[in-house]
Amino acid sequence: MAETATLHIFRFDPEKDKSPYFKTYDVAITAKMNVLEALLDIVDKQDGSLSLRYACRGAICGSCAMYINGSYRLACQTMIANLNPSDITVGPLPHLPNIKDLVVDMTPFFEKYERIVPYLIRNSAPLEKEIPQNLKQRKAIDEMIDCILCGCCYSSCPMVWTHRNFLGPAALTKANRFVQDSRDEGLDQRLSIVAGEDGIWRCHTIFNCADACPKKINTTASIQDLKRKTIARRLHLA
Ligand code: SF4
Ligand code: FES
């Protein structure tokens, strides 16, 4: 393995720069180094002005989502050894407002997440103790609860790019996570939100979101689930 990696990094400081540009850095690498570690090495040893967002370093918090070599990835999960170390391009998540360098403004993403009511709805007695689920009930939400809210799917979705109010794959998948949850009692409320003008019918089944997800969640299938559920409900079949 090469001992040096060359990274071309998107730079933009709105207080100084008229337009974005890429700056190239060479980094001494080790066998198990990931892209986040290379970026932090640059910050420590070469250029403290480089801005990026990260927290857990373990593919759990979702904050280091970036556009690496033309793919949506978590920087902390992307091993340099799996890339061509002489030519690595790192940019911020596309189609989200840029704050500085690799940091984007996630406000539109989280505003839409809030719109789908991302918590259990209980219309019956208030929750006083745990509501048990059997294995089958738990299995129904297994994949969707792995979402770490990284925004990769949202950033990759052409319908988000063209219809700025579209709820997007992450919020819709979260809605489906509660629709499928045996403990939730908000089905009609949820379906009226997701089947509105900014919801499921905007999805053209492009599958970019499912391809982009670092947790391998099939977000497109989730949106299809919601379409089926909405139709079944309207036909009084569910
Ligand atoms: Fe990230 Fe996947 Fe969740 Fe989308 S569904 S926010 S890509 S973890
Ligand atoms: Fe938390 Fe990468 S730093 S997912």
Side-chain angles (χ1 to χ4, degrees):
M1 182 175 171
E3 291 175 355
T4 303
T6 302
L7 288 88
H8 312 288
I9 302 178
F10 178 100
R11 301 300 309 268
F12 180 60
D13 181 345
E15 291 183 359
K16 285 194 326 206
D17 302 323
K18 284 199 179 124
S19 52
Y21 61 97
F22 280 84
K23 187 166 177 184
T24 298
Y25 302 86
D26 288 328
V27 180
I29 52 172
T30 55
K32 293 189 178 167
M33 198 170 202
N34 60 46
V35 171
L36 178 61
E37 288 166 336
L39 294 171
L40 293 177
D41 194 80
I42 291 168
V43 172
D44 283 347
K45 297 178 184 157
Q46 299 187 49
D47 189 346
S49 72
L50 174 64
S51 298
L52 64 144
R53 194 182 272 139
Y54 72 100
C56 71
R57 300 187 182 205
I60 294 169
C61 73
S63 24
C64 71
M66 295 176 194
Y67 198 55
I68 301 172
N69 282 1
S71 295
Y72 299 85
R73 299 171 190 261
L74 300 176
C76 70
Q77 198 180 35
T78 305
M79 305 303 292
I80 302 261
N82 294 335
L83 306 172
N84 172 2
S86 65
D87 189 15
I88 299 170
T89 303
V90 184
L93 285 183
H95 306 289
L96 281 155
N98 188 267
I99 295 176
K100 182 175 180 291
D101 299 333
L102 301 172
V103 179
V104 293
D105 181 0
M106 297 291 283
T107 306
F109 175 84
F110 283 108
E111 279 177 353
K112 290 167 183 181
Y113 184 70
E114 278 179 31
R115 279 173 62 190
I116 59 87
V117 194
Y119 46 82
L120 274 184
I121 296 174
R122 297 288 296 177
N123 299 319
S124 49
L127 274 182
E128 281 171 3
K129 57 181 183 178
E130 185 183 359
I131 307 171
Q133 289 186 299
N134 62 34
L135 277 179
K136 190 170 169 220
Q137 290 167 333
R138 179 59 173 70
K139 188 87 187 147
I141 58 171
D142 232 10
E143 181 179 282
M144 295 176 283
I145 62 172
D146 283 346
C147 175
I148 56 171
L149 300 174
C150 66
C152 285
C153 57
Y154 182 86
S155 171
S156 78
C157 173
M159 300 319 296
V160 170
W161 310 342
T162 53
H163 182 80
R164 301 307 294 181
N165 292 330
F166 176 47
L167 288 167
L172 290 171
T173 297
K174 187 62 71 175
N176 193 37
R177 172 248 178 280
F178 287 106
V179 162
Q180 306 294 338
D181 193 315
S182 57
R183 301 162 298 182
D184 193 76
E185 296 174 342
L187 178 62
D188 289 324
Q189 180 183 345
R190 295 193 187 285
L191 293 185
S192 74
I193 296 168
V194 303
E197 189 180 345
D198 302 326
I200 48 179
W201 308 114
R202 295 263 171 207
C203 171
H204 289 206
T205 329
I206 297 165
F207 280 96
N208 269 20
C209 55
D211 279 348
C213 178
K215 293 294 175 183
K216 303 199 184 320
I217 300 169
N218 193 339
T219 43
T220 313
S222 241
I223 297 171
Q224 298 308 101
D225 279 349
L226 289 172
K227 289 177 181 174
R228 278 190 290 272
K229 196 80 169 175
T230 300
I231 291 170
R233 199 72 175 160
R234 285 180 186 171
L235 296 175
H236 305 287
L237 300 173

